[in-house]
């Protein structure tokens, strides 16, 4: 499975309601865009203080590179990315192929 990890750090002026709306709209993409096999999210709770201002983590799972690429180009995803840009100060995206074992 291809994991698409998105980490957000919000602008100082973002309210709890703003952030809740970000989560709602991001989660809604699962029903709007074909190819998303799973969606999870949560907030940072690491005691290591290595988050660099990133507070929210979103994990999307895809079955193929083609499905992920179609998601990135999907109009609903593009609209979400454009909209959320005013609320997010820091964004990090990491994609990886999940591996069950270490060789």
């Amino acid at each position: 499975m291809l994991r698409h990890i998105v980490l957000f750090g919000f602008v100082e002026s973002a309210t709890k309601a703003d952030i809740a709306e970000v989560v709602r709209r991001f989660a809604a993409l699962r029903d709007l865009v074909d190819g998303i096999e799973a969606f999870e999210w949560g907030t940072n709770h690491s005691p290591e203080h290595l988050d660099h201002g990133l507070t929210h983590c979103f994990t999307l799972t895809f079955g193929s590179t083609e499905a992920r690429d179609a998601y990135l180009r999907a109009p609903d995803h593009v609209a979400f990315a454009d909209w959320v840009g005013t609320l997010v100060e820091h964004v990090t995206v990491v994609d990886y192929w999940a591996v069950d074992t270490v060789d």
Side-chain angles (χ1 to χ4, degrees):
M1 304 269 59
L2 179 59
R3 306 282 195 238
H4 178 72
I5 310 299
V6 180
L7 303 167
F8 284 162
F10 291 94
V11 296
E12 192 172 317
S13 61
T15 65
K16 287 183 181 182
D18 291 333
I19 295 169
E21 183 65 8
V22 169
V23 172
R24 187 193 71 73
R25 289 187 187 201
F26 207 156
L29 291 175
R30 183 172 185 189
D31 295 326
L32 296 172
V33 180
D34 290 337
I36 301 172
E37 296 188 10
F39 175 89
E40 297 177 320
W41 78 276
T43 57
N44 179 43
H45 290 279
S46 174
E48 297 177 288
H49 306 290
L50 298 173
D51 52 71
H52 304 285
L54 301 166
T55 59
H56 288 66
C57 180
F58 303 88
T59 302
L60 292 82
T61 301
F62 298 93
S64 69
T65 301
E66 294 79 15
R68 187 267 326 267
D69 292 350
Y71 159 79
L72 293 175
R73 293 187 305 270
D76 288 310
H77 172 258
V78 172
F80 170 75
D82 289 343
W83 171 80
V84 79
T86 62
L87 296 170
V88 175
E89 185 171 4
H90 305 288
V91 179
T92 297
V93 177
V94 176
D95 290 0
Y96 69 93
W97 283 98
V99 178
D100 289 335
T101 60
V102 177
D103 293 328

